[in-house]
Amino acid sequence: MIKLDHVTKKYGTKTAVQDVSLDIAAGELFAFLGPNGAGKTTTIKMMCGLLFPTSGTVSIGGHDLCRDGDRARQLLSYVPDQPFLYEKLTGREFLQFIADMYGLSRAQSAQRVAEMIELFELHEFIDDLTERYSHGMRQRTVFAAALVHEPRVLIVDEPTVGLDPHSVRRLKDLLRRQADRGTTVFLSSHSLDVVEELADRIAIIEHGRLVACGTLKALRQQAAVDGPLEDVFLTLTRPLEDKVTKP
């Protein structure tokens, strides 16, 4: 469902992403990790069609985002790390706006909006202006909007920031449920415990290059670490001089 084929992105003389290739299947919950500045956000923006690669191709559902971007974007939803809402709309109006953007009929959108309100328990505030929403309320509304057109690909960037434990648990259940239903979930997060619990496969990017990709078991073998994902991640991304001097 998601394919990056030798993707490179340069900003002038700076290379943000270097020769990254990924092939992510339908129904896979795929985690994307890396230190700050590693190239995660640039990669995600290319997957969403917000940036185009300098070289290589990015495809969603077989549609090249450069040549057939409209069809590719119709298949996906993107939830950024800072949830954005039009603050002079109510939550219900925002969900309806998103449904209209994706071309749902009035009957379809009415059904889907009602289902999302029920799923995310938005009843208490759905008809309030979103400018009054707390962070948790915003996050729930943004996720409802992301799923209203039943995307085949869900790209999520740092979804647990600012959420209380109850909301984090609900979010983890939601992501796993979406993947189990066949949606490809691409998760970028610094919350390694969440990734360790949920991910089918994990990729780690550092300085724009992919340094590891596979199951947690495979990454443990690569890092020669028999421990939690945090230890594996720190081993695979430690400074080059440490890798040379330490066993």
Side-chain angles (χ1 to χ4, degrees):
M1 278 306 296
I2 303 174
K3 186 169 185 178
L4 281 68
D5 188 14
H6 297 286
V7 170
T8 293
K9 179 63 180 177
K10 296 183 177 181
Y11 299 100
T13 60
K14 176 180 172 56
T15 301
V17 174
Q18 179 69 50
D19 196 33
V20 169
S21 293
L22 292 171
D23 198 345
I24 306 169
E28 186 171 9
L29 204 162
F30 188 90
F32 194 53
L33 309 179
N36 291 332
K40 298 190 304 297
T41 298
T42 296
T43 303
I44 288 172
K45 287 184 176 180
M46 288 191 288
M47 290 168 51
C48 295
L50 299 173
L51 291 174
F52 291 143
T54 304
S55 62
T57 59
V58 182
S59 302
I60 302 292
H63 301 290
D64 186 321
L65 271 159
C66 289
R67 293 186 285 105
D68 200 7
D70 288 346
R71 288 190 179 183
R73 283 185 286 268
Q74 194 74 18
L75 300 177
L76 65 83
S77 277
Y78 170 44
V79 180
D81 54 345
Q82 294 295 326
F84 175 80
L85 299 169
Y86 292 106
E87 297 198 336
K88 295 305 178 183
L89 296 181
T90 67
R92 189 184 303 275
E93 289 169 340
F94 182 73
L95 295 183
Q96 184 63 57
F97 170 69
I98 299 300
D100 291 344
M101 283 189 61
Y102 280 101
L104 273 64
S105 69
R106 282 293 167 179
Q108 286 176 314
S109 63
Q111 177 181 344
R112 288 298 296 164
V113 168
E115 289 173 356
M116 293 300 98
I117 292 172
E118 182 69 28
L119 176 62
F120 290 94
E121 300 177 5
L122 308 179
H123 307 86
E124 291 185 10
F125 53 84
I126 192 65
D127 292 308
D128 295 339
L129 291 177
T130 60
E131 65 183 4
R132 304 172 188 165
Y133 286 11
S134 67
H135 178 80
M137 293 158 68
R138 286 172 174 268
Q139 194 82 325
R140 286 154 64 184
T141 305
V142 165
F143 265 98
L147 297 178
V148 74
H149 72 292
E150 298 182 279
R152 293 173 63 188
V153 173
L154 178 63
I155 300 172
V156 187
D157 191 6
E158 295 294 351
T160 60
V161 174
L163 296 184
D164 60 55
H166 176 76
S167 297
V168 170
R169 179 71 267 167
R170 180 162 47 190
L171 175 64
K172 290 192 289 187
D173 291 343
L174 169 71
L175 295 177
R176 184 70 264 170
R177 193 162 58 243
Q178 287 297 312
D180 291 343
R181 290 175 178 174
T183 303
T184 301
V185 178
F186 186 95
L187 169 65
S188 177
S189 178
H190 288 302
S191 299
L192 300 185
D193 57 331
V194 172
V195 170
E196 184 167 358
E197 178 181 345
L198 293 180
D200 300 314
R201 284 194 301 152
I202 302 164
I204 299 176
I205 189 172
E206 183 184 25
H207 299 305
R209 291 182 177 272
L210 209 61
V211 298
C213 183
T215 63
L216 178 55
K217 180 180 179 180
L219 266 58
R220 282 175 173 147
Q221 292 174 343
Q222 180 177 338
V225 171
D226 185 17
L229 177 58
E230 179 181 14
D231 293 345
V232 173
F233 176 83
L234 292 175
T235 299
L236 292 173
T237 60
R238 72 190 184 198
L240 180 60
E241 59 270 21
D242 288 351
K243 294 177 183 178
V244 171
T245 59
K246 295 181 181 179

